[in-house]
Amino acid sequence: MNTIRTPDQPISIETASNRSDEKADHDANDGVGKALRGKPLKVDLIVLGQDAEGAAAAANVARCGLSVCLLPTGAEIASSTYPDLPNRLWRDLDLVGGAHSSVAYGACASSADGDQWVRTHLDQDDMRSTLEAEISVSPDIWTAFQSDIADLFERVEALSIAATNLHGGDGALHLGIDPMASANSVLDGYFAHEEFKAHLLCRSVLAFGLSGDEPGSARALAALDPRAWPHRHGEGALSLHDGLLEACDLSGVTRINVRVTEIAEQRNGTKTVSLENGDEVQARSIIVSSLSHVHPDAAYFAVSDSPLRRFGGAQARVALAFGSSESFPETLEDQVNYIVGTREDFRVSREAMREGRINDAMPLKVERDGNRLIVTAPYCPAMLEEEGEMREWSGQDRQAFGRQVFDRLRRVFSLEVMPTKIDVALSLVPQGSGQAQDEGALTKGAALVSAPLPSVVPVSTCADFALRLVQPGRSGT
């Protein structure tokens, strides 16, 4: 870890690749990731990505009696907030009664300056009160919108898991929200309140690094369905990520925390993953937990393309640790917070990201995790522009960005204490990565790696996708 200290505040700068190396050293001492003594490890499935999505996929397949190896990509960025898992996964992964518990947030809120807040609530009585008192939206309009969102959720998730045709491929006539429309055009058709529409963009397109103007970005609005409502782990309980890693261990998944250096495919279809320590893992099938986790030696293949797939840029995760949480305002207690001004901020931030710049008004997501504040900044450039040239992020760049994020938090939440440490992790998404390819178009030796489509419920989607890949015809229901 590259640690930079300044006279008034220690700043710890952490990158995804550095974090993987440290975790490898730590886990090796615990007996995880031991050398394979020169023999390739042969398994039924290799899962790339030790995030919650990858862990769920690995455990789900291993529970069916297949051998699975779970490897890191170096691009994982953990979150403390996820949509709750469906009951079948709680049951199938034996999470019921375990050390993980899930608690729904009471609200999601957004503000530009901390004075005016816009909120959505899981409780429908609270939501109706907010609509009438703060947003001047008829509850009937919200009810119609939610009904159309429920239909959109089912259609989009059917595509993500089973690659069905979204345009009536199931033989049904669909009205309501056009999934090929832009998110902004859909919101304009229902609501007039600009701050409310910016808030709904935060809850939907922000996770995909989109602006809301792209054709097909309406699919991200499926995140507004109650089935995608954000949850956190209960007090004193394991996070969902840690709970799923525990499920992997109990299911017999082999977890190796060593960096991948090469992925190749033999003529007989066997895929070989070479590790930095010289070991090899072989399998007939490989999946990556997210199309954002790329490897230059693999051709990433998805069952079909998706307008929610991210192209280029980087997502930053800024973790700010404080001495205690006693000084946190009530707005950080039981709600997911977003810092956003207008819908224009999404478009400007996305354009700046593509040009190698950071928009000072970039929409941010803020979560509380104990005495830490976790900030997601999804519109960061992969490379920074300086005097007409593109360059990589330096430690000083990360330090400056961490301070910039804290300054915005201090203004919006009236924070009166300084953090004791700020960690900045970047997950880079190379331009054009993850494009679907035909098997015949692969270059010699390139490995075909499957990936689930982007989803508003990514953990359960990835778990179902992995099971369908190794056991065609198996249903996730």
Side-chain angles (χ1 to χ4, degrees), residues 401-445:
F401 183 68
R403 287 185 178 277
Q404 177 184 339
V405 167
F406 172 67
D407 285 341
R408 294 183 68 186
L409 296 183
R410 180 165 50 185
R411 292 194 300 269
V412 172
F413 299 105
S414 301
L415 297 177
E416 298 179 354
V417 294
M418 297 288 289
T420 58
K421 184 172 69 171
I422 303 178
D423 290 337
V424 180
L426 284 173
S427 178
L428 305 183
V429 185
Q431 183 71 26
S433 66
Q435 293 185 359
Q437 301 190 28
D438 295 329
E439 210 166 337
L442 298 179
T443 58
K444 183 179 179 180

Side-chain angles (χ1 to χ4, degrees), residues 78-91:
S79 173
S80 59
T81 299
Y82 292 95
D84 197 18
L85 298 180
N87 290 335
R88 55 183 168 76
L89 279 181
W90 278 91
R91 179 189 67 247

Side-chain angles (χ1 to χ4, degrees), residues 297-369:
D297 294 321
Y300 288 91
F301 174 81
V303 289
S304 62
D305 206 355
S306 169
L308 299 185
R309 181 161 52 86
R310 180 178 181 129
F311 287 94
Q315 176 175 279
R317 176 182 182 270
V318 184
L320 303 97
F322 295 82
S324 72
S325 60
E326 295 180 357
S327 58
F328 289 166
E330 290 185 3
T331 50
L332 291 169
E333 289 299 320
D334 188 32
Q335 62 185 26
V336 177
N337 293 278
Y338 299 93
I339 301 177
V340 66
T342 68
R343 288 188 291 172
E344 183 70 5
D345 293 338
F346 291 88
R347 185 190 62 80
V348 173
S349 297
R350 185 164 166 80
E351 289 183 357
M353 175 187 75
R354 290 173 168 173
E355 297 171 358
R357 298 179 293 105
I358 298 174
N359 178 27
D360 292 340
M362 179 195 307
L364 301 175
K365 177 183 178 182
V366 185
E367 313 159 52
R368 178 192 166 189
D369 184 17

